[in-house]
Amino acid sequence: VQLVESGGGLVQVGESLKLSCAASGFTFDESTIVWFRRAPGKEDVGISCITTEGYTYYADSMKDRLTISADNAKKVVYLEVNTLKPEDTGNYRCAAGPNYLCPSSLSNEALTRYLRVWGRGTLVTVSS
């Protein structure tokens, strides 16, 4: 049972990245996927999620620059981050859990304890 993120790297301000969250070992299409960003020295912040029905949600702080999508056949959720800023630097990781956690876990950190599977993340560094 695992989630593996990829797609991070060193980018310049204004560029875009498409991150991937690949699932294995559990019923992917019965789980919501939530993306988190952890800035250096700070806690995880929920930034986007997608439900089993394909409904998508975004944190207000980044909603104009994010696009989340899922390929159920490949068991992968993607997160595209556009117009990257230095403050976007951090470790981006995904987590899986029941549908009711999307979008509730984006604004309620206490609910993240119910996410069952966590990836280790992929590092994004935005250079100015």
Side-chain angles (χ1 to χ4, degrees):
V1 177
Q2 65 175 353
L3 293 169
V4 179
E5 302 89 341
S6 61
L10 175 63
V11 297
Q12 300 296 313
V13 169
E15 293 184 338
S16 299
L17 280 176
K18 189 171 186 177
L19 309 178
S20 299
C21 169
S24 62
F26 64 96
T27 308
F28 178 76
D29 56 5
E30 293 182 358
S31 299
T32 194
I33 300 293
V34 187
W35 276 98
F36 294 85
R37 180 183 69 190
R38 178 177 288 199
K42 297 189 177 181
E43 300 295 319
D44 285 320
V45 174
I47 58 175
S48 183
C49 62
I50 185 166
T51 70
T52 56
E53 296 88 358
Y55 293 108
T56 60
Y57 298 88
Y58 304 98
D60 287 342
S61 61
M62 296 183 71
K63 62 182 179 181
D64 295 333
R65 301 190 292 120
L66 298 178
T67 302
I68 190 170
S69 60
D71 185 331
N72 288 338
K74 295 182 178 179
K75 297 186 178 182
V76 178
V77 169
Y78 304 98
L79 182 69
E80 186 168 359
V81 189
N82 299 310
T83 320
L84 282 156
K85 306 174 181 180
E87 53 263 41
D88 292 324
T89 293
N91 191 48
Y92 288 69
R93 61 174 179 161
C94 57
N99 249 359
Y100 75 87
L101 293 175
C102 176
S104 58
S105 63
L106 296 185
S107 57
N108 188 342
E109 187 275 337
L111 294 177
T112 61
R113 75 184 73 174
Y114 300 108
L115 291 162
R116 299 168 186 153
V117 186
W118 288 81
R120 291 188 174 187
T122 184
L123 186 61
V124 173
T125 303
V126 184
S127 174
S128 56

